[in-house]
Amino acid sequence: MWKMRERSNQERLQARFKLPSPTRLDVLSLSPAAERLRHILREEDEPTPTLFTEMDTLQHEGGEMEWKESARWVKFEEKVEEGGERWSKPHVSTLSLHSLFELRTCLQTGCILLDLEGYSLPQIVDDIIEKQVQEGLITPEIREKISFVLLRKHRHQTKKPIHRSLADIGKSSPSNRSPNPSPRSGSGFHRSTEDLRAHQSGGLSKLRESGLLCLPPSIDLSTTTSGSLEFLITVSGFNKFMKKIPRDAEASNVLIGEVDFLDKPFVAFVRLAQAATLGGLTEVPVPTRFLFVLLGPNGKTKSYNEIGRAMATLMVDDLFSDVAYKARDREDLIAGIDEFLDEVIVLPPGEWDPKIRIEPPKKLPSAEMRKSVFSLNELGQPNGNAGGGAASAEGEDLPAPHELGEELKFTGRFCGGLWLDIKRKVPGFLSDFYEGFHIQSVSAVLFIYLGCITNAITFGGLLGDATDNYQGVMESFLGTALAGVVFCLFGGQPLIILSSTGPILIFEKLLYEFSINNDIDYMEIRLWIGLHSCLQCLILVATDASYIIKYMTRFTEEGFSSLISFIFISDALKKMMSIFNYYPINRDFKPDYITSYRCECQASDQVALNASSPLGLENISDYSMFNFSALDWNQLSKKECLSFGGSLVGKSCKYVPDLAMLSFILFFGTYSMTISLKKFKASRYFPTKCRTLLADFSIIVSILVFCALDYVMSLDTPKLHVPTQIKPTRPDRGWIVMPFGKNPWWMCLASFAPALLVTILIFMDQQITAVIVNRKENKLKKGCGYHLDLFWVGILMAVCSFMGLPWYVAATVISIAHIDSLKMESESSAPGEQPQFLGVREQRLTGILVFVLTGVSVFLAPVLQYIPMPVLYGVFLYMGVASLHGIQFKVKNFWERMKLFLMPAKHQPDFVFLRHVPLRRVHLFTLVQITCLAVLWILKSTVAAIIFPVMILGLMVVRKTLDLIFSQHDLAWLDDILPDKDKKKKEDEKKKKEKKKAKSEEHNNGDEEVRTTIIRCVRCS
Amino acid sequence: MWKMRERSNQERLQARFKLPSPTRLDVLSLSPAAERLRHILREEDEPTPTLFTEMDTLQHEGGEMEWKESARWVKFEEKVEEGGERWSKPHVSTLSLHSLFELRTCLQTGCILLDLEGYSLPQIVDDIIEKQVQEGLITPEIREKISFVLLRKHRHQTKKPIHRSLADIGKSSPSNRSPNPSPRSGSGFHRSTEDLRAHQSGGLSKLRESGLLCLPPSIDLSTTTSGSLEFLITVSGFNKFMKKIPRDAEASNVLIGEVDFLDKPFVAFVRLAQAATLGGLTEVPVPTRFLFVLLGPNGKTKSYNEIGRAMATLMVDDLFSDVAYKARDREDLIAGIDEFLDEVIVLPPGEWDPKIRIEPPKKLPSAEMRKSVFSLNELGQPNGNAGGGAASAEGEDLPAPHELGEELKFTGRFCGGLWLDIKRKVPGFLSDFYEGFHIQSVSAVLFIYLGCITNAITFGGLLGDATDNYQGVMESFLGTALAGVVFCLFGGQPLIILSSTGPILIFEKLLYEFSINNDIDYMEIRLWIGLHSCLQCLILVATDASYIIKYMTRFTEEGFSSLISFIFISDALKKMMSIFNYYPINRDFKPDYITSYRCECQASDQVALNASSPLGLENISDYSMFNFSALDWNQLSKKECLSFGGSLVGKSCKYVPDLAMLSFILFFGTYSMTISLKKFKASRYFPTKCRTLLADFSIIVSILVFCALDYVMSLDTPKLHVPTQIKPTRPDRGWIVMPFGKNPWWMCLASFAPALLVTILIFMDQQITAVIVNRKENKLKKGCGYHLDLFWVGILMAVCSFMGLPWYVAATVISIAHIDSLKMESESSAPGEQPQFLGVREQRLTGILVFVLTGVSVFLAPVLQYIPMPVLYGVFLYMGVASLHGIQFKVKNFWERMKLFLMPAKHQPDFVFLRHVPLRRVHLFTLVQITCLAVLWILKSTVAAIIFPVMILGLMVVRKTLDLIFSQHDLAWLDDILPDKDKKKKEDEKKKKEKKKAKSEEHNNGDEEVRTTIIRCVRCS
């Protein structure tokens, strides 16, 4: 008998460690662990519910006994701190191997009741004891005692001290001091709580019938009042925790205790046929499905606790809980433990302190992959997988390939891409509006709005300078509003924010100069260029030309977006510096010589005036009637003085005190406060919600704080001034530009050539930003529409040209900021689990609101004038820096790789690509990127800036040549594989895989002998 | 036979899990694992050397084979990254349970050679193969093949790419392309490297005789040249790494490979009788003691690798390496593995991703504790200890008790304490000087020097105000230098920095007012008070009165030092704010109206002058001869104008531009740059040494940077002005105060009463700071001298009184800063191990230098005048904030507990005391402290400030009453136990322990049956 069992055990273990082999089919009858599990788990029925596990330990306090919750598991362990009266942080359950083996014994020797029909705790307890007596595990004498112990009341750890205090008061009431303590304030109490929920109107009589059969009959039904009171308190207490438990969850209860009347452990594992709420057993109103009881003789509390923890940890293990749900007998459970043991990760005692609580990891291996070993029968090599960083699974040898999605497929049909884009976007059009209603949107709208108007004012001012106010701030505002609203309403990717961009500005400047020099009407030729460009864009749309950007890899995207970020940063700093020039500081100021600092207006004679300030002359032509000598020159302000032809004399004339310094403080303060508030999200202070809110509104808060500071200082810092009336900046132009009349007819055709340049400019700018916005990392779900985007940009060009407004195209940095401010994270996950980045709030509402607000800014001028410009420059700086860090390229970020240069190898973070690509190759790749950026930067700083977007094509060429320098393996880690190479790579891999598979199968046969020796070892140990 | 072995195994395991029990003695002959180990490890011979382990795997590249280093262990694992050509970060070796079992089998079935006499690899390999053939494990035919494989060359991972490239060049040389590749550029190469080191002048003939016997005879001895070349390169490469390996370390080599000629694994475990350098086997020149070889059939590389990793991890385990050194036979090794397995920590597969590399923990359980289980035979409960955070070892239920050391014992003899102090300090007197020579001292001296002179100037200025310049800045400088040098030379704790303190300042102020009002000579009565106070201090010293401060617990210390820190912070902020008042900003300034801002000096008539400015009159009395009307009033500076009685008229008169703003930028910049640089130490950039240096000099760097900024701005910010001539501030006083003559004789006696107040003041201030400085957390080794300190403070009081200098006492914040800047950390620990805080550079040199520098500051004035005061205020702010955080109270820090108020329970850090004390008790305790602080703060702000140090006694009383509110258990965690309570507690514990022990012994007997079932399970699994 012993020998037979030996052998079957041996065979079972042998099979457990065995790899799939041709002999597999005929060993089915041998019931080995893995085979057993494969048998159970293969059936493809509905997934089993998630288990919530609670461990209660028996406490002896005075003469009384009660079950006290000592830990709970949703996915990770939360322990009740011994003296802390609090929940520990969720942590990974570190078990001792010993306790797992002990648990295995327990399940082998104890009583197992599967699919027990149970509806109340007393009945279940009765059944368990009955079974034990039948099996001869306990003597009938101690029946009553065990039943008594198991039915003691359960005390749960709650967050609200008020609840605990109430329970304490109840406990110390004199009626409980009787020698044979009635459990009324305990079990009855809790049970009523539960049953109130479960049976609702079932009434107390039913309660008595079902639950209280084996309890002393002295039940005072009036306690139900206090029960429902507690219920209410508890509800408010665990409401928050309940969120963390999935809706369909069931509970498993682990009861551990030591008693004095047993001389060997009393073990029972129960699975109920139907989950049932067993009055007050569980902390939360989740029906119980599993019950594990371990009572043992006195003196080994720690050991029992460890066994309990092992059981609880097993119960929340994805694989074992499946096994537990589907187990047919004891052996299935044991097989489950064996499988668990086989996958277990071991830390050597000398390298780890078991008292350290391990924080839950950021990423977990999916349960599906673990289960697939049994269902898919593919390469289920059980060892190795669990082996440190050394053994990486097959699928991980290369990163996930570059996917651009079907949006960029070349359809080959006329307007095929556009049609597909529209078909893709129409179904979500309605949700694009109602999904925008969220508090986060408010912050996003304000943030992006401020960015947009600052941009509009800056570019408006620059355009005004460049075109003699043919396009000024007013045009910029109106154009931004018009283009933005239309694009966000109908565009393919409404998260993209349109704005004027640098290259366009330079083009306008050159065009204007050309027009003036050649006596061409600027507005008319601009209209024709716009029309041609629009037509060209539409042709690109109709021919699905956008598909070529699929050749754009991360290398190009990073280069482009980094460059734009650097430009943002340098612009912000430059603007800040210009304040120092605008408000010069008197460095030689000595407080003591204050009397010598003055600035006086002195009248000059007419001759000197004419010679010195011809500009001043023009302006004062109106005043020329006045008698200059009659003026009190001393009373004139600086402007007046200059306009009347006076000259300013004195030491302090060129200096403006304090403004530059304060501007710097505002600028730097806004920037660093925004950064700090964003970082504050990761701090420990205040509840998560507060922090998230604060981080979402960090920019608004910073702006408000520093506007307030500016207001308090009440210094005359440069403020945001928006136009207050809707009329063209230049009085001699109207809102509509006429296409004919001022220029010769052939101009209409000749403008085709410059339009081509504009088209390339717009196409590149628009589509690269679109690719960056649509990246897989942003987890956009509604799909994108490159063709649709370009279609609208083209149409808007024509419209803007007719109205004499600037041209608009996607702005990289602001679009990224837009996405960043709309990120969603999962909320209710198991305690300790990292919130997952779910995606972005994809909707059209925020964009539309931003541009509507931009449009009505004219009326918001009284409010906006309180915002100092340095604060807005600080916001710009933040946007630049954030987009440099924030582009979700994960570990492959260009910026992160730049930082590697400064880090000694041993301090470098454990990036995946560093595990696979030699450091010097990484550095080489980064250096190439830096060089490209430097070249682009230099180009951008010269007049060549106009061909800057074309240079992006150059980047793509550089990337192509990198194929020659770097291996495809390295590039796959550092960048993406180019589309055609991608295919090749895949084929190569496939071949390799097949080869490997064949090889491994070959070896699996020869493998068995080693295994046998191993198993013999395990068995003998 | 089988059955017998079964049984003995069973018994062994049974004993392994068994607790010490009366039956222990008679099971000694049964050789169970733990018993075995106890037997080996009990012998108290010298500790075994530390093991460095290297794992090499067999690589097949083309037709060639070579051993390539794949990982190494000093304490933690460092892996060679697959493609990264780099060492991974040191991490905890996560093993799979499976591989450990497989390793166990390997050792059970493989060949074990203990104490082999081996001096070269070929000979050892021969011996191994011989043994295997003898045991029938391999057929003699494959002898040659195995020998050939095992003698392939070893390629090591080195940091220098140049080395690798050289090796590559060597590899690709045509001579190696022969079908039967000669290993000359491999083994011979490395061996020569090694042997060059080992045999030094042993010569190549010996090399040939010993090492190359079984190699093909075609050895080209000329390769030794390239060998030595490589040796040189390698030396420079691993020099840094060698530092991390202890001097007496020995190596263990793990060789793992798969070959095609074997059909079952070839396993050998070798322990050499003497450690020997086996040519090129090991990366570093450490002699090899252990060798583990695993060759197996093809196709299971991963599995073999895991077994190798398991072996290597075992070899660096403190316990197992002991076992390996002392093992008598195979069974001992197996027992070692079993013990290892029993202590192992297990992570459930569903809660942890094995691919995550676990960073080495900050603190590790000591190997001694693990070993003590075997040697001390006390309570060696093997399970439970390893069980998560739940089970804490017995000794950890209470924190280490409050120890003040023997320094504060009441000797009962006259000057007993002083005598002991002197005896304690004399032996280290010489080392107090030469131990100060370290780069860190430079930074410390500069930092503390700047703190001291700022303090001296501040207090000097305030004292000058309070005493009409009887004690001014000059006296402050001289006094600081004198007192400081004397104290640092002869004091008991030379790390303490003396300074003027607030309470003394207030006392002087009151005394001066009293003197003026009652026509008493201030200097004379001050001298008498000083003399009385000195006498009283000496009496306190003679009677060992300092022992009473042992009643001062952390509660009091924290209260005091936090208060001082807050005062520092608030003073720094106040001083900064005062700059804003001193240089008011013109808030209504409009750049356009610059013409209206002026400040003119207007002559006023004599009458108005007399009435308006009586002070001005005095000053201009010298000029009264001048004819005012003759003056060009417009040319006068502000001061001149006022002094001539003119009045300033104009809008800009009261305002000073830019200075306040710039001062703020300097102040805040210095503070935040210092903080950032300190934090930079923990960043990943640059090698550790650079960062440490930068952090050490952070304050100096910040000061220099912002001095430079100030210089560049060249604005007239307030600068540090030190006196340039040594003469009393007030011309009518000399350097010596006469004790008699000016006051009635009874004053000499009456001054006893105020002296008493001064004595209490000084005693409390001095000794509390001393206690804080001498805290156990600072790991001071040279002992302290409370009595000696007080003695010198008393003597210095008398001296200063005679010379009319201020009185000095220990300054808490600067002393803490002094200690902080002299902290030492361990340098060469195993890779991945956290550097340990070793203590403080205890010496007298830095202190002396600081005060000598202070003394000669008079001559440094030309340099010091470039330092703006706001920069120094920034340093003050930093000192205050740092001392608030930095006092090494570890987790019990008051500041940390304050922060807990703002954190939701789930985000709170895992402080030990939070595990044991309910949160509301912690909060209550913190609230009591905050209240005390608030009360003290209010007292300090009123005239009652003079009795402020006495209030510290009040704190001690409050602490005493806390005994009534809090349990001793809670207080032990939150504070310290008061001395008498401490004893009681200890006794209680002792009793408890004894009880527990008795109890556990009782149960151990009943325990065995459960164990037996458990073991049966393990055996069957």
Side-chain angles (χ1 to χ4, degrees), chain A residues 163 184-186 188-194 196 221-235:
Chain A
H163 171 209
R184 73 170 182 196
S185 65
F189 198 60
H190 275 277
R191 179 170 302 108
S192 59
T193 311
E194 279 304 321
L196 270 177
L221 288 176
S222 67
T223 51
T224 45
T225 326
S226 80
S228 50
L229 172 69
E230 171 163 343
F231 178 61
L232 288 174
I233 297 165
T234 315
V235 163

mmCIF file of all heavy atoms in Angstrom, chain A residues 163 184-186 188-194 196 221-235:
data_model
loop_
_atom_site.group_PDB
_atom_site.id
_atom_site.type_symbol
_atom_site.label_atom_id
_atom_site.label_comp_id
_atom_site.label_asym_id
_atom_site.label_seq_id
_atom_site.Cartn_x
_atom_site.Cartn_y
_atom_site.Cartn_z
ATOM 1 N N HIS A 163 -16.517 53.023 15.581
ATOM 2 C CA HIS A 163 -17.114 51.706 15.472
ATOM 3 C C HIS A 163 -16.509 50.783 16.533
ATOM 4 O O HIS A 163 -17.187 50.105 17.273
ATOM 5 C CB HIS A 163 -16.843 51.160 14.065
ATOM 6 C CG HIS A 163 -17.212 49.725 13.889
ATOM 7 N ND1 HIS A 163 -16.577 48.921 12.999
ATOM 8 C CD2 HIS A 163 -18.131 48.963 14.497
ATOM 9 C CE1 HIS A 163 -17.096 47.716 13.059
ATOM 10 N NE2 HIS A 163 -18.047 47.724 13.956
ATOM 11 N N ARG A 184 -24.324 37.045 21.864
ATOM 12 C CA ARG A 184 -25.333 37.882 21.219
ATOM 13 C C ARG A 184 -24.760 39.194 20.667
ATOM 14 O O ARG A 184 -25.071 39.585 19.568
ATOM 15 C CB ARG A 184 -26.472 38.183 22.177
ATOM 16 C CG ARG A 184 -26.074 39.164 23.245
ATOM 17 C CD ARG A 184 -27.276 39.637 24.019
ATOM 18 N NE ARG A 184 -26.799 40.624 24.990
ATOM 19 C CZ ARG A 184 -27.487 41.020 26.018
ATOM 20 N NH1 ARG A 184 -28.663 40.515 26.261
ATOM 21 N NH2 ARG A 184 -26.999 41.929 26.836
ATOM 22 N N SER A 185 -23.915 39.818 21.488
ATOM 23 C CA SER A 185 -23.383 41.078 20.963
ATOM 24 C C SER A 185 -22.332 40.801 19.900
ATOM 25 O O SER A 185 -21.871 41.700 19.234
ATOM 26 C CB SER A 185 -22.793 41.923 22.091
ATOM 27 O OG SER A 185 -21.676 41.259 22.640
ATOM 28 N N GLY A 186 -21.982 39.540 19.785
ATOM 29 C CA GLY A 186 -21.006 39.194 18.754
ATOM 30 C C GLY A 186 -21.678 38.650 17.528
ATOM 31 O O GLY A 186 -22.155 39.395 16.686
ATOM 32 N N GLY A 188 -24.542 37.243 16.874
ATOM 33 C CA GLY A 188 -25.905 37.632 16.573
ATOM 34 C C GLY A 188 -25.930 39.011 15.956
ATOM 35 O O GLY A 188 -26.541 39.246 14.912
ATOM 36 N N PHE A 189 -25.307 39.831 16.607
ATOM 37 C CA PHE A 189 -25.021 41.199 16.208
ATOM 38 C C PHE A 189 -24.595 41.285 14.742
ATOM 39 O O PHE A 189 -25.287 41.795 13.871
ATOM 40 C CB PHE A 189 -23.873 41.576 17.144
ATOM 41 C CG PHE A 189 -23.571 43.003 17.329
ATOM 42 C CD1 PHE A 189 -24.505 43.900 17.826
ATOM 43 C CD2 PHE A 189 -22.295 43.452 17.051
ATOM 44 C CE1 PHE A 189 -24.167 45.204 18.045
ATOM 45 C CE2 PHE A 189 -21.960 44.758 17.282
ATOM 46 C CZ PHE A 189 -22.890 45.639 17.766
ATOM 47 N N HIS A 190 -23.472 40.674 14.496
ATOM 48 C CA HIS A 190 -22.942 40.759 13.141
ATOM 49 C C HIS A 190 -23.816 40.033 12.155
ATOM 50 O O HIS A 190 -23.973 40.464 11.028
ATOM 51 C CB HIS A 190 -21.538 40.159 13.090
ATOM 52 C CG HIS A 190 -20.496 41.145 13.472
ATOM 53 N ND1 HIS A 190 -20.000 42.046 12.577
ATOM 54 C CD2 HIS A 190 -19.902 41.389 14.654
ATOM 55 C CE1 HIS A 190 -19.121 42.803 13.195
ATOM 56 N NE2 HIS A 190 -19.026 42.422 14.453
ATOM 57 N N ARG A 191 -24.337 38.935 12.634
ATOM 58 C CA ARG A 191 -25.151 38.173 11.701
ATOM 59 C C ARG A 191 -26.333 39.015 11.293
ATOM 60 O O ARG A 191 -26.691 39.089 10.125
ATOM 61 C CB ARG A 191 -25.630 36.871 12.355
ATOM 62 C CG ARG A 191 -26.499 36.047 11.426
ATOM 63 C CD ARG A 191 -26.753 34.693 12.003
ATOM 64 N NE ARG A 191 -25.511 34.005 12.261
ATOM 65 C CZ ARG A 191 -25.002 33.779 13.462
ATOM 66 N NH1 ARG A 191 -25.650 34.167 14.534
ATOM 67 N NH2 ARG A 191 -23.868 33.169 13.602
ATOM 68 N N SER A 192 -26.939 39.678 12.276
ATOM 69 C CA SER A 192 -28.080 40.494 11.930
ATOM 70 C C SER A 192 -27.664 41.578 10.932
ATOM 71 O O SER A 192 -28.375 41.853 9.976
ATOM 72 C CB SER A 192 -28.663 41.127 13.184
ATOM 73 O OG SER A 192 -27.679 41.916 13.812
ATOM 74 N N THR A 193 -26.504 42.115 11.158
ATOM 75 C CA THR A 193 -26.002 43.115 10.218
ATOM 76 C C THR A 193 -26.022 42.564 8.812
ATOM 77 O O THR A 193 -26.543 43.174 7.874
ATOM 78 C CB THR A 193 -24.542 43.451 10.561
ATOM 79 O OG1 THR A 193 -24.451 43.706 11.933
ATOM 80 C CG2 THR A 193 -24.055 44.611 9.758
ATOM 81 N N GLU A 194 -25.449 41.394 8.716
ATOM 82 C CA GLU A 194 -25.325 40.772 7.412
ATOM 83 C C GLU A 194 -26.678 40.411 6.855
ATOM 84 O O GLU A 194 -26.992 40.676 5.697
ATOM 85 C CB GLU A 194 -24.491 39.496 7.529
ATOM 86 C CG GLU A 194 -23.021 39.760 7.544
ATOM 87 C CD GLU A 194 -22.603 40.541 6.325
ATOM 88 O OE1 GLU A 194 -23.141 40.262 5.232
ATOM 89 O OE2 GLU A 194 -21.749 41.430 6.463
ATOM 90 N N LEU A 196 -29.510 41.496 7.555
ATOM 91 C CA LEU A 196 -30.320 42.643 7.187
ATOM 92 C C LEU A 196 -30.100 42.949 5.726
ATOM 93 O O LEU A 196 -31.002 43.279 4.981
ATOM 94 C CB LEU A 196 -29.907 43.859 8.015
ATOM 95 C CG LEU A 196 -30.651 44.050 9.324
ATOM 96 C CD1 LEU A 196 -30.086 45.239 10.055
ATOM 97 C CD2 LEU A 196 -32.136 44.242 9.049
ATOM 98 N N LEU A 221 -33.500 39.615 21.091
ATOM 99 C CA LEU A 221 -33.689 40.141 19.741
ATOM 100 C C LEU A 221 -33.550 41.653 19.656
ATOM 101 O O LEU A 221 -33.406 42.217 18.582
ATOM 102 C CB LEU A 221 -35.051 39.713 19.199
ATOM 103 C CG LEU A 221 -35.143 38.231 18.840
ATOM 104 C CD1 LEU A 221 -36.564 37.893 18.402
ATOM 105 C CD2 LEU A 221 -34.158 37.874 17.745
ATOM 106 N N SER A 222 -33.579 42.277 20.795
ATOM 107 C CA SER A 222 -33.501 43.738 20.752
ATOM 108 C C SER A 222 -32.128 44.236 20.291
ATOM 109 O O SER A 222 -31.977 45.381 19.912
ATOM 110 C CB SER A 222 -33.798 44.329 22.128
ATOM 111 O OG SER A 222 -32.754 43.971 23.018
ATOM 112 N N THR A 223 -31.152 43.347 20.348
ATOM 113 C CA THR A 223 -29.820 43.791 19.938
ATOM 114 C C THR A 223 -29.759 44.151 18.471
ATOM 115 O O THR A 223 -28.838 44.790 18.020
ATOM 116 C CB THR A 223 -28.768 42.701 20.192
ATOM 117 O OG1 THR A 223 -29.235 41.497 19.623
ATOM 118 C CG2 THR A 223 -28.437 42.555 21.635
ATOM 119 N N THR A 224 -30.761 43.690 17.726
ATOM 120 C CA THR A 224 -30.727 43.992 16.293
ATOM 121 C C THR A 224 -30.716 45.495 16.047
ATOM 122 O O THR A 224 -30.219 45.950 15.029
ATOM 123 C CB THR A 224 -31.944 43.377 15.586
ATOM 124 O OG1 THR A 224 -33.079 43.655 16.382
ATOM 125 C CG2 THR A 224 -31.765 41.900 15.405
ATOM 126 N N THR A 225 -31.293 46.229 16.969
ATOM 127 C CA THR A 225 -31.284 47.683 16.796
ATOM 128 C C THR A 225 -29.844 48.185 16.740
ATOM 129 O O THR A 225 -29.448 48.891 15.831
ATOM 130 C CB THR A 225 -31.995 48.356 17.972
ATOM 131 O OG1 THR A 225 -33.040 47.512 18.399
ATOM 132 C CG2 THR A 225 -32.505 49.711 17.552
ATOM 133 N N SER A 226 -29.103 47.776 17.778
ATOM 134 C CA SER A 226 -27.706 48.216 17.788
ATOM 135 C C SER A 226 -26.975 47.624 16.592
ATOM 136 O O SER A 226 -26.046 48.205 16.076
ATOM 137 C CB SER A 226 -27.015 47.816 19.094
ATOM 138 O OG SER A 226 -26.633 46.458 19.036
ATOM 139 N N GLY A 227 -27.450 46.456 16.167
ATOM 140 C CA GLY A 227 -26.843 45.846 14.980
ATOM 141 C C GLY A 227 -26.980 46.726 13.763
ATOM 142 O O GLY A 227 -26.016 46.990 13.062
ATOM 143 N N SER A 228 -28.212 47.187 13.548
ATOM 144 C CA SER A 228 -28.393 48.003 12.348
ATOM 145 C C SER A 228 -27.657 49.327 12.486
ATOM 146 O O SER A 228 -27.167 49.881 11.495
ATOM 147 C CB SER A 228 -29.875 48.236 12.090
ATOM 148 O OG SER A 228 -30.492 48.684 13.272
ATOM 149 N N LEU A 229 -27.558 49.796 13.707
ATOM 150 C CA LEU A 229 -26.770 51.011 13.935
ATOM 151 C C LEU A 229 -25.338 50.778 13.491
ATOM 152 O O LEU A 229 -24.774 51.540 12.709
ATOM 153 C CB LEU A 229 -26.801 51.381 15.421
ATOM 154 C CG LEU A 229 -25.858 52.518 15.815
ATOM 155 C CD1 LEU A 229 -26.326 53.834 15.233
ATOM 156 C CD2 LEU A 229 -25.726 52.616 17.329
ATOM 157 N N GLU A 230 -24.813 49.655 13.977
ATOM 158 C CA GLU A 230 -23.434 49.354 13.602
ATOM 159 C C GLU A 230 -23.323 49.178 12.097
ATOM 160 O O GLU A 230 -22.341 49.582 11.476
ATOM 161 C CB GLU A 230 -22.961 48.092 14.303
ATOM 162 C CG GLU A 230 -21.623 47.641 13.762
ATOM 163 C CD GLU A 230 -20.953 46.669 14.686
ATOM 164 O OE1 GLU A 230 -21.342 46.583 15.867
ATOM 165 O OE2 GLU A 230 -20.046 45.996 14.226
ATOM 166 N N PHE A 231 -24.374 48.574 11.539
ATOM 167 C CA PHE A 231 -24.361 48.346 10.096
ATOM 168 C C PHE A 231 -24.150 49.664 9.358
ATOM 169 O O PHE A 231 -23.332 49.778 8.468
ATOM 170 C CB PHE A 231 -25.677 47.685 9.682
ATOM 171 C CG PHE A 231 -25.789 47.457 8.210
ATOM 172 C CD1 PHE A 231 -24.872 46.643 7.570
ATOM 173 C CD2 PHE A 231 -26.785 48.060 7.470
ATOM 174 C CE1 PHE A 231 -24.955 46.425 6.205
ATOM 175 C CE2 PHE A 231 -26.879 47.837 6.111
ATOM 176 C CZ PHE A 231 -25.967 47.025 5.482
ATOM 177 N N LEU A 232 -24.906 50.661 9.821
ATOM 178 C CA LEU A 232 -24.802 51.964 9.168
ATOM 179 C C LEU A 232 -23.391 52.513 9.279
ATOM 180 O O LEU A 232 -22.823 53.011 8.322
ATOM 181 C CB LEU A 232 -25.801 52.934 9.808
ATOM 182 C CG LEU A 232 -27.254 52.637 9.452
ATOM 183 C CD1 LEU A 232 -28.183 53.536 10.232
ATOM 184 C CD2 LEU A 232 -27.459 52.808 7.947
ATOM 185 N N ILE A 233 -22.827 52.404 10.490
ATOM 186 C CA ILE A 233 -21.494 52.937 10.705
ATOM 187 C C ILE A 233 -20.493 52.188 9.845
ATOM 188 O O ILE A 233 -19.650 52.771 9.183
ATOM 189 C CB ILE A 233 -21.106 52.824 12.195
ATOM 190 C CG1 ILE A 233 -22.052 53.661 13.029
ATOM 191 C CG2 ILE A 233 -19.672 53.255 12.407
ATOM 192 C CD1 ILE A 233 -21.996 53.352 14.489
ATOM 193 N N THR A 234 -20.671 50.870 9.872
ATOM 194 C CA THR A 234 -19.740 50.046 9.110
ATOM 195 C C THR A 234 -19.798 50.396 7.641
ATOM 196 O O THR A 234 -18.787 50.511 6.971
ATOM 197 C CB THR A 234 -20.070 48.553 9.322
ATOM 198 O OG1 THR A 234 -20.298 48.342 10.700
ATOM 199 C CG2 THR A 234 -18.949 47.688 8.824
ATOM 200 N N VAL A 235 -21.038 50.576 7.156
ATOM 201 C CA VAL A 235 -21.199 50.880 5.739
ATOM 202 C C VAL A 235 -20.372 52.106 5.366
ATOM 203 O O VAL A 235 -19.588 52.089 4.435
ATOM 204 C CB VAL A 235 -22.688 51.099 5.398
ATOM 205 C CG1 VAL A 235 -22.812 51.821 4.066
ATOM 206 C CG2 VAL A 235 -23.397 49.768 5.354
#
